[in-house]
Amino acid sequence: MKFLSLPKLMVALALSLLAGVAMAAAPSQLVIDQGWTFRLAPGNAQLGKHADAAPWHTATVPGTVHTDLLAHKLIPDPYVGAPEAGLQWIGLADWEYRIVFDAPQAAVGSARSDLVFEGLDTFAEVWLNGARVLDVNNAFRTWRVPVQGKLRAKGNELRIVFRSPIAKLLPQVQGMPVKLAGNYPSPYGDEPVDAMTGNFVRKPGYHFGWDWGPRYVTAGIAKPVVLQSWDTVRIDNLQLRQDRVSAERADIAAIASIDAVRAGGLALRLWQTAPDGKRTLAAERRVELKAGSNRIELPLHIDQPQRWYPHGYGAQPLYRYEVQLGDGQSAIAGATARTGLRSVELRREVDAKGKSFYFAVNGIPVFAKGANTIPFDMFQPRVHKAQLRHVLQSAVDANMNMVRSWGGGYYESDDFFDLADELGLMVWQDFMFGGGMQPAYDDAFRANVVQEARDQVRRLRNHPSLVLWCGNNEEEIAWKYWGHGKTMKEADPLLAERVWKGYVQLFGSDLRQVVAEEGGGIGYWASSPGDDLAEVANTPASGDMHYWEVWGNPAHPVTKYLEITPRFMSEYGLQAWPVQRTVDAFAARAEQGMATPVIEAHQKFMAGKGNERLLKYVREEFGEPADFAGFIYLSQVMQAEGIELAALHHRASRPFTMGSLYWQLNDVWPGASWSSVDWFGRWKALQFHARRFYAPVAVAALRDAKGTTTVSLLNDRLQPVRGELRLHVLGLDGKTLRDERKPVELAPLSATRFHDYVDADLLGKADPAATVAVFDLQVEGEPASRGAVYFVPAKQVKWSSAEPRAGLRAELHRDGAGLVLEVTAARLARAVWIDFGELDAELSDNALTLLPGERVRLRVTSAAAEGALRAALHVRSLADAVQAQ
């Protein structure tokens, strides 16, 4: 026998290892989504009344128990009528899901196989072939379970048992002598009002009910279940950390997190695909891996990078990177990631009045214009990309550049962030804490949240749209100002101290550290509203604000918005009902009325009896609605005009104020809410107004409660613009009382205070109840901007007694580009709303103010026939919706 020398032997072993690597199969993946069944778990107390849920039924995965029950007609549609009280048993029950699957040969014979659960909601026991392999207690985490040696080629049984979070936690919560403040107590008796469990479980908080959505405490396999197998290496994550980005150069670190079965050397390649599609080899090196976890960092330098900008400030070019591990020409593992190159910082600069709060992107101070997003459905798995695209495109179409993803729901999907990247929407991302107080004094609870945060920050950190991580929504102000802290201090001072210390540890330290370690340079903010744990929170001088004294208690008039000038307004809002067609989807006309059961079931603002609060605001400005349809319409007019007043005030207060995010953009179901786009994707009047009041170049003509109108000129463009401002004072019949035109120049990124007028300056001796002042700003290349100033509440305006009162005429016809609707008004027409009854149609504009004799041309897009649209066409104005005085 011939023996090799030691050096030659080592070379031979190395070559043998590399040969094995080259021949090794790439990691395989089996998505386990077909063939699931579900049932009400045996022995559960709910079986007596719901025996029809006891047999096995087919299930959809990803999905929820509510949607699976609905698919089998075991429950009524949770959105139609008023079934909510009768469905609370679902949240009290335990549920079992089961599948039998065959494992691929690669999985059975691989060195490593993991079952990966991206979202189990929430308390779950996972069983594989009769063995309990995992216990889950967090819906926001990704759970990975090694199963090599536990798989069979045929007939693997995977069972997941979901325990009721209420039943599981209630004994613990009831056993607390002094209880943590919760969010919304259940009105249905499924848990006591003084022992709320939602704050103790890491699942979407809105499932327990909110003031814009129902209480459906669901469970299920909310995201994919995947079997991953590999023999050599698996790339767990590819981070694209942006260390420095300027117009001249971008310095990036591509960081691959690698799980190696055994130690060995491999070739690593990193490919770059530029926004123009050109693919180049960006980096190449040989790496020595140790068995287990490895972190490989590759520095990249890009000269003259194409930078990513928010909508309205530039383009959104995106770079794609692909990392490959292998040897020679074969790759045995890979991963891809996409990003946009930009610098972003949250700037906190001390000045004479306090401390600024604004975002600078690529060095540009950006005035944040947008809205808050809530979950897009009560049942997350049925949210689809087309739905997300429609709502986020609606935001962009309304000139928004930011959305705040609110903390009482779930972390949004990759689709959501991909779309935000492509559309140029900055995302303020809350961690999933929506209100009340969490048991952060518990070490195990905090450790669970920290792992949740790592999972989510790692998943989302490459998105250029992500500009901020925020610890929670409203928990700090609830403790400091809503009585939560005071009540607990009075009842148990030692517990109160422990609770607050746990809060500070979690939101002041733990999550901040996760973002610092994993977030790639994105900023962290402890709570919204707040001042990053300064003693005073929710102050106009520093940090961000939520303002709810309009709409919420004490329900000030909307002109109060003009007295609140924050650094950054991250929440404010007014409620409205969705359009009539949406209301008709959940309530028959006979079921519709101010206090009918179905309407009340879809009005979730309990603190102020929602419809009574809505009617208060409608009556203050407009008077008494003529009927329920008029109430729906007037609620939208009130919402749109009130939010416009606030948003324009915020913009006119630049640079002291640098953000205006109204509550809220979208809906979780069809009902009354603060949204501007309803659950079906239909625009309310507010969304049309937002497109105008968020326009890059606009006029703000804001009349306060004392009768002073302040006119400001707004320019979000990066360059100065020139145009003409027209002041036109006229009677409702069109008689001109004053007509002036002045050339104006607007500096870039500015708000310019043009002039202040008292009523007498504008009215002279004219009748305030029959006169309007209109400010029109015309700038070449920009949409015209209009501000109309009224001198008395709308209910005191002397509308014509003729029918229709504004002399509105609408003609639908076709031109070369499609359908056109031409609308004219004989007299002043305020809040003109056009719809087509039961037919869906999109209009290029709506919720308009037309001056006497003015004509507008609107594009109409619909699948309906022209004749059907013409027959269904309905046009109304404000004067048509109120009872005659």
Side-chain angles (χ1 to χ4, degrees), residues 615-633:
L615 196 55
K616 170 190 182 297
Y617 278 94
V618 167
R619 284 171 171 162
E620 282 180 356
E621 177 63 29
F622 306 117
E624 197 69 28
D627 50 24
F628 187 70
F631 173 64
I632 290 173
Y633 160 82

Side-chain angles (χ1 to χ4, degrees), residues 307-385:
R307 290 186 291 175
W308 183 96
Y309 288 88
H311 173 62
Y313 291 83
Q316 292 79 44
L318 298 169
Y319 289 77
R320 183 176 295 277
Y321 292 88
E322 180 182 2
V323 64
Q324 298 174 342
L325 278 172
D327 197 68
Q329 297 301 310
S330 60
I332 59 171
T336 62
R338 189 180 75 167
T339 196
L341 304 178
R342 85 286 184 259
S343 66
V344 58
E345 56 183 317
L346 173 62
R347 290 186 177 172
R348 309 291 323 284
E349 299 159 346
V350 176
D351 57 29
K353 295 182 180 179
K355 207 171 186 180
S356 68
F357 185 106
Y358 69 94
F359 295 89
V361 180
N362 298 326
I364 300 170
V366 175
F367 189 101
K369 301 180 295 189
N372 291 257
T373 60
I374 63 170
F376 287 77
D377 197 277
M378 278 305 300
F379 311 110
Q380 180 189 5
R382 68 181 185 181
V383 177
H384 50 84
K385 190 171 184 178

Side-chain angles (χ1 to χ4, degrees), residues 168-186:
K168 182 178 178 65
L169 291 170
L170 193 55
Q172 166 194 337
V173 176
Q174 286 184 305
M176 298 176 66
V178 178
K179 297 173 178 62
L180 299 181
N183 293 307
Y184 291 94
S186 173

Side-chain angles (χ1 to χ4, degrees), residues 178 479 484-502:
V178 178
W479 181 265
H484 293 186
K486 181 176 183 289
T487 301
M488 182 168 281
K489 288 173 187 175
E490 291 172 350
D492 189 336
L494 292 178
L495 177 60
E497 182 181 6
R498 187 173 168 227
V499 168
W500 182 246
K501 283 184 177 178

Side-chain angles (χ1 to χ4, degrees), residues 212 576-578 582 586 602-603 667 669-673 675 678-679 684:
W212 34 252
W577 280 93
T582 294
F586 62 79
H602 288 254
Q603 168 57 271
D667 267 336
W669 79 325
S673 82
S675 73
D678 76 24
W679 182 74
K684 295 182 183 177

Side-chain angles (χ1 to χ4, degrees), residues 140 359 372-373 402-413 416-417 426-433 452 456-457 459-460 463 465-473 511 515 522-526 528 661:
F140 306 124
F359 295 89
N372 291 257
T373 60
M402 176 179 275
V403 292
R404 172 176 172 247
S405 184
W406 168 80
Y410 47 75
Y411 300 94
E412 282 295 347
S413 65
F416 175 97
F417 279 90
M426 298 181 289
V427 180
W428 165 322
Q429 179 64 58
D430 285 358
F431 285 101
M432 289 302 109
F433 295 92
E452 162 196 323
Q456 297 295 339
V457 174
R459 178 174 71 92
L460 298 175
H463 290 282
S465 55
L466 181 60
V467 298
L468 186 72
W469 283 99
C470 179
N472 67 70
N473 172 79
L511 293 179
V515 174
I522 296 301
Y524 174 79
W525 191 244
S528 179
L661 308 179

